[in-house]
Amino acid sequence: MRSQKISTKENSKLSNEIDKLRVPKHIAIIMDGNGRWASKKGLPRSFGHNKGVNVLKEIIKVSKNLDCQVLTVYAFSTENWTRPSTEVDFLINLFEKVLKKEITEIHQESIKIKFIGDLSPFPKALKSIINSSETLTKNNKNFTLNICVNYGGRQEIVKAAREIAIKSLAGEIKPSEIDEQLFNSQLLTHGIKDPELLIRTSGEKRISNFLLWQLAYSEIYITDVLWPDFNEIEFFKAIIDYQSRDRRFGGIQSLPNKSCKDSNYSS
Ligand code: FPP
């Protein structure tokens, strides 16, 4: 009871420190540490992933309340296939189970859900629920949740390069027309503005093949907290830290790390 009171007090103290007009409009998250969290407690790794889903739900709610418009989370990387097949199967089943259970509420909350990555190796049942969830929510306007699955930044860049080469060979694009904007339009994230902030939990100081192109100028916040222990307070800390940064984008003059209110952050 006492600790709940303290944390409510800390929540509102931190919430008051946030400049609500400068909340990043797009936050990317590497949700790391599920396995270690469970092992530390002597539990199977799957318990960490289950707890991780609850944390994600909380962070979506908090982000929405803060008027952050887009969250992009790394749920399964192209490298995660190397895990034991029991864990891979567990994660695939978890994605399907969570989507089935939550999609009605996600839609009621006017959240647009989008999966980013190569879905082809996933089982038919998962692909089907992903497809129907994206179709159901495609016109929702309140918030966008991008879930990266079987996603790899290098693979995404190679795919974009290949598509541009094909168009160029077909005479649709001249090499002189290839610029950042055109390249960007071939990425899986086309139509979505780059994240202003990347949060990585569990203390690892790596990008791990996540959004390699899109994170070029993002602020990076790393916390030792493991994803299953991440919460509203830790999220507020990340935003307060972000708001203290001096964003110069390679120049010498500070630009306000202000998010543009009227920008459309999702397609
Ligand atoms: C990283 O922790 C976490 C993952 C590979 C899976 C993340 C997935 C979720 C939180 C579930 C999301 C659910 C939906 C429906 C989007 P780790 O296992 O690498 O932890 P470790 O580094 O401690 O081993």
Side-chain angles (χ1 to χ4, degrees):
M1 191 64 183
R2 191 162 174 268
S3 75
Q4 205 180 347
K5 258 192 193 153
I6 293 169
S7 77
T8 311
K9 230 171 125 182
E10 193 180 354
N11 275 21
S12 53
K13 184 178 165 281
L14 289 172
S15 169
N16 288 338
E17 274 181 48
I18 294 175
D19 176 348
K20 304 293 183 302
L21 295 175
R22 292 193 301 125
V23 170
K25 293 291 168 200
H26 181 180
I27 301 179
I29 308 183
I30 302 179
M31 311 179 286
D32 197 14
N34 292 353
R36 272 164 286 166
W37 179 88
S39 303
K40 271 187 173 179
K41 293 184 171 334
L43 297 167
R45 291 172 59 85
S46 55
F47 280 61
H49 298 313
N50 280 332
K51 177 77 170 41
V53 172
N54 296 337
V55 174
L56 178 57
K57 279 164 65 182
E58 180 184 352
I59 296 307
I60 294 168
K61 234 177 245 162
V62 181
S63 307
K64 255 181 109 216
N65 289 342
L66 280 175
D67 201 25
C68 162
Q69 292 167 358
V70 183
L71 264 192
T72 301
V73 298
Y74 208 6
F76 193 90
S77 73
T78 43
E79 292 72 32
N80 285 152
W81 294 105
T82 60
R83 294 184 176 208
S85 61
T86 45
E87 183 164 345
V88 170
D89 291 347
F90 177 85
L91 282 167
I92 289 174
N93 285 332
L94 183 68
F95 298 150
E96 191 187 326
K97 195 176 83 184
V98 171
L99 259 187
K100 271 192 187 140
K101 184 164 170 269
E102 306 292 340
I103 194 59
T104 308
E105 196 184 332
I106 288 172
H107 187 45
Q108 277 164 358
E109 291 285 319
S110 189
I111 296 173
K112 177 158 88 176
I113 194 162
K114 197 161 164 32
F115 283 78
I116 296 175
D118 175 11
L119 304 181
S120 60
F122 290 123
K124 226 169 138 187
L126 178 59
K127 284 192 280 200
S128 160
I129 180 92
I130 286 178
N131 205 282
S132 56
S133 304
E134 288 186 336
T135 306
L136 177 71
T137 63
K138 70 173 194 275
N139 295 320
N140 289 347
K141 297 273 182 277
N142 272 2
F143 191 78
T144 300
L145 173 67
N146 299 313
I147 302 177
C148 296
V149 284
N150 192 26
Y151 172 86
R154 285 189 174 180
Q155 291 83 342
E156 178 187 34
I157 289 170
V158 168
K159 184 170 177 285
R162 192 181 302 128
E163 271 155 24
I164 291 169
I166 291 169
K167 285 187 180 153
S168 182
L169 274 176
E172 291 167 30
I173 296 172
K174 290 194 202 110
S176 60
E177 287 168 350
I178 302 170
D179 57 11
E180 285 187 23
Q181 203 186 346
L182 187 132
F183 200 88
N184 209 19
S185 72
Q186 299 303 310
L187 294 172
L188 299 173
T189 53
H190 61 89
I192 304 170
K193 289 211 172 172
D194 293 342
E196 295 105 312
L197 173 64
L198 167 71
I199 298 174
R200 180 167 192 155
T201 57
S202 96
E204 307 291 355
K205 297 174 182 69
R206 304 186 274 277
I207 294 185
S208 298
N209 207 13
F210 188 43
L211 302 177
L212 296 182
W213 171 279
Q214 299 82 346
L215 294 173
Y217 286 102
S218 310
E219 297 297 324
I220 299 179
Y221 178 84
I222 293 169
T223 170
D224 286 336
V225 174
L226 304 174
W227 178 250
D229 285 330
F230 197 77
N231 55 22
E232 182 179 52
I233 291 181
E234 299 304 325
F235 190 68
F236 286 166
K237 287 183 193 165
I239 291 174
I240 292 165
D241 190 84
Y242 163 84
Q243 291 186 339
S244 73
R245 308 278 179 96
D246 182 14
R247 302 193 83 201
R248 293 190 302 276
F249 298 92
I252 50 172
Q253 231 181 358
S254 263
L255 290 172
N257 58 357
K258 188 164 88 176
S259 294
C260 188
K261 260 264 170 230
D262 54 2
S263 283
N264 180 14
Y265 273 78
S266 59
S267 58

